[in-house]
Amino acid sequence: MKLSSETTDRRIKKSKKAMQQALLEWMEEKDFKSITITNIVQRADVNRGTFYKHYDYKEQLLEDIMDEITADLKEAFRKPYKSKAMLELPELTAPSVKIFEHVLKHDHFYTLVIASNMLTGFQYKLVSILRGLVLEDLLQAAGDEGIDQRLQAGYHSHAIFGLIVEWVHGGFEHKPDYMAEQLLLIIRNRPAEVVFKAEN
Amino acid sequence: MKLSSETTDRRIKKSKKAMQQALLEWMEEKDFKSITITNIVQRADVNRGTFYKHYDYKEQLLEDIMDEITADLKEAFRKPYKSKAMLELPELTAPSVKIFEHVLKHDHFYTLVIASNMLTGFQYKLVSILRGLVLEDLLQAAGDEGIDQRLQAGYHSHAIFGLIVEWVHGGFEHKPDYMAEQLLLIIRNRPAEVVFKAEN
DNA sequence: TTATTTAATCAACACCTGTTCAATAAATTA
DNA sequence: TAATTTATTGAACAGGTGTTGATTAAATAA
């Protein structure tokens, strides 16, 4: 008798890896939209049925690739942080430096995904992770003046994502330390009269 | 002789409207992904060639619909604001109240787009508009302590979008005034030690 | 190793896609 | 109004899609 074992069948891993690799290669050559399932399976040298056995559409295949990137982001937060930047910047910005270092580590992928327009799935994952981290800290820090902490978490997680988008669009012309410093400055700033000017 | 006139041909308007209406109707019934071009043109009662004359893919048709929504957002900012909330809240939050009122006005559409996962195009437009408004104000308010204003604009525009997402996911359980109040509280809060807790 | 389970393959299917073309109908211009 | 321009139509096409069922091959369990 054969029960569902813990480790996935080597054939599955092999097929998935081949298709993931094929998709990434095609993405270097042409627009995501114009890449067909047939393209992918031909380059991966697997049957089209194999694709449909594991995925419903190509976006799902991309999400599989994204999962590895976001796993790295999560891991980056667990490791203790040691670097020059930490000595120069306030201690509390360390985790945010990690974010930007993570993005820079995968700069090619981030550029590919953000520059084109298929980040829905990726953005969702990324923001969800950031939101979780922010919310965790907010709950520990305990209530501030009647602020809805879910809204606050949604606000800050998207905000950091926005910073990443700007960074990518600018072609990574700044160092991660600079980005973390800017994040701190923006947060510390009193932008009430700046975010939206009152009409006279 | 017939030159390109200012007003678009009535046939074009009619065809586009029919297809837009058909897409919205299908979106009530099934997943965006599973809606085919054939579905749309059959319900709109136009030839498939007509679709491809105006659009490349269905996402473009959706963007056409989105343009009307975002046009309303822009317009909402130009009109002078008068309401009860203005008396209760600081004057400078008025424009942000408008944002949330706009979202509530189109609550059905926002829910449809944000709950599903095809907001890439819409989000881009929305954030771009917010970013433009924020950046405009930032440039007028003049430099604050070495903050990169583009990064700041990206930060705040995505942050507000994040607030909208939270609001939609929560099923609009708050009033626009409350959302604007929360926005103000979050911005005014000193969240430096809250956004990311320093590890010990 | 052998038996069993399960993934990958191949062929075939109806349907959707994106494009082309000549024919038609509706709009605009004078 | 008549003449001209242009959108829409309908048919047809080579391809891609998503699914099926029977067969083969590889991985796992005993």
Side-chain angles (χ1 to χ4, degrees):
Chain A
M1 168 183 34
K2 198 180 191 177
L3 288 170
S4 57
S5 64
E6 298 304 310
T7 51
T8 30
D9 196 305
R10 283 148 55 208
R11 287 171 294 184
I12 296 175
K13 280 191 222 164
K14 208 180 117 195
S15 298
K16 283 191 172 184
K17 269 276 158 282
M19 290 187 286
Q20 285 169 17
Q21 182 58 32
L23 177 56
L24 284 174
E25 282 177 28
W26 277 117
M27 281 169 69
E28 301 291 336
E29 293 168 36
K30 57 176 182 169
D31 194 58
F32 183 78
K33 185 135 216 105
S34 70
I35 300 168
T36 67
I37 311 291
T38 305
N39 284 155
I40 295 166
V41 295
Q42 277 176 353
R43 182 165 290 187
D45 193 30
V46 293
N47 191 272
R48 213 175 54 219
T50 304
F51 175 91
Y52 287 108
K53 185 135 220 165
H54 301 296
Y55 307 106
D56 292 320
Y57 31 83
K58 55 184 174 167
E59 282 83 359
Q60 259 180 31
L61 172 57
L62 186 66
E63 279 195 37
D64 234 17
I65 299 168
M66 289 168 171
D67 281 343
E68 286 184 38
I69 309 282
T70 53
D72 181 74
L73 175 60
K74 285 178 196 164
E75 198 191 359
F77 268 84
R78 292 202 194 92
K79 283 184 188 166
Y81 183 79
K82 296 263 170 273
S83 104
K84 206 174 66 180
M86 197 171 167
L87 303 172
E88 295 166 14
L89 292 171
E91 199 182 7
L92 53 87
T93 59
S96 62
V97 175
K98 284 182 193 171
I99 295 178
F100 297 113
E101 282 178 345
H102 154 83
V103 174
L104 196 61
K105 182 177 167 186
H106 303 280
D107 61 342
H108 190 61
F109 185 79
Y110 271 82
T111 304
L112 211 60
V113 170
I114 290 182
S116 72
N117 274 344
M118 16 61 108
L119 39 68
T120 318
F122 185 58
Q123 184 198 4
Y124 186 79
K125 276 183 201 299
L126 202 66
V127 169
S128 290
I129 290 168
L130 292 173
R131 190 181 178 281
L133 292 164
V134 170
L135 193 56
E136 209 173 284
D137 293 350
L138 285 175
L139 293 172
Q140 270 191 294
D144 318 35
E145 314 141 40
I147 295 181
D148 184 324
Q149 293 180 320
R150 277 190 200 155
L151 294 181
Q152 197 174 6
Y155 179 92
H156 285 298
S157 53
H158 276 84
I160 293 165
F161 178 75
L163 224 49
I164 292 172
V165 171
E166 292 290 332
W167 199 29
V168 171
H169 280 151
F172 300 101
E173 57 184 351
H174 302 297
K175 288 181 183 171
D177 296 0
Y178 176 82
M179 293 303 294
E181 187 194 324
Q182 286 292 315
L183 173 60
L184 193 71
L185 284 174
I186 292 169
I187 290 173
R188 286 244 169 109
N189 192 32
R190 312 241 96 179
E193 58 281 330
V194 157
V195 171
F196 285 113
K197 198 192 59 169
E199 55 267 277
N200 32 305
Chain B
M1 169 181 38
K2 198 181 194 177
L3 289 171
S4 56
S5 65
E6 299 305 309
T7 50
T8 31
D9 197 304
R10 282 147 57 207
R11 287 170 294 184
I12 296 175
K13 281 191 224 164
K14 208 180 118 193
S15 298
K16 283 191 172 185
K17 268 276 157 282
M19 290 188 284
Q20 287 169 15
Q21 182 59 31
L23 176 56
L24 284 173
E25 282 176 29
W26 277 117
M27 281 169 68
E28 301 292 336
E29 294 169 35
K30 57 175 180 169
D31 195 57
F32 183 77
K33 184 135 216 107
S34 70
I35 300 169
T36 68
I37 310 292
T38 306
N39 283 155
I40 296 165
V41 296
Q42 277 175 352
R43 182 164 290 187
D45 193 30
V46 293
N47 191 272
R48 205 145 47 85
T50 304
F51 175 91
Y52 287 108
K53 184 133 223 164
H54 301 296
Y55 307 105
D56 292 320
Y57 30 84
K58 56 183 174 169
E59 282 82 1
Q60 260 180 31
L61 172 56
L62 185 66
E63 280 195 38
D64 234 17
I65 300 168
M66 288 169 172
D67 282 343
E68 285 184 37
I69 309 283
T70 52
D72 180 73
L73 175 61
K74 286 177 195 163
E75 197 191 358
F77 268 83
R78 292 202 194 93
K79 283 185 188 166
Y81 181 80
K82 296 264 170 272
S83 104
K84 205 174 66 180
M86 198 171 167
L87 303 172
E88 294 165 15
L89 293 171
E91 198 181 8
L92 52 87
T93 60
S96 63
V97 176
K98 284 182 192 171
I99 295 179
F100 298 113
E101 282 178 344
H102 155 82
V103 174
L104 196 62
K105 182 178 169 187
H106 302 280
D107 61 342
H108 189 61
F109 184 78
Y110 272 83
T111 304
L112 210 60
V113 170
I114 289 181
S116 72
N117 273 344
M118 16 62 108
L119 40 66
T120 317
F122 185 58
Q123 185 198 5
Y124 186 78
K125 276 183 201 298
L126 202 65
V127 169
S128 290
I129 290 167
L130 292 173
R131 190 180 178 281
L133 292 164
V134 170
L135 194 57
E136 209 174 284
D137 293 350
L138 284 174
L139 292 173
Q140 270 192 295
D144 317 37
E145 314 141 43
I147 294 181
D148 184 324
Q149 292 179 319
R150 277 191 199 153
L151 293 181
Q152 198 174 3
Y155 179 92
H156 285 298
S157 54
H158 276 85
I160 293 165
F161 178 76
L163 224 49
I164 292 172
V165 170
E166 292 291 331
W167 198 30
V168 170
H169 280 151
F172 301 100
E173 58 184 350
H174 303 296
K175 288 182 183 172
D177 296 0
Y178 176 83
M179 294 303 294
E181 187 194 324
Q182 285 292 315
L183 173 59
L184 193 71
L185 284 175
I186 292 169
I187 290 173
R188 286 245 169 106
N189 192 31
R190 313 240 97 178
E193 57 281 329
V194 157
V195 171
F196 285 114
K197 198 191 61 169
E199 56 266 278
N200 35 306

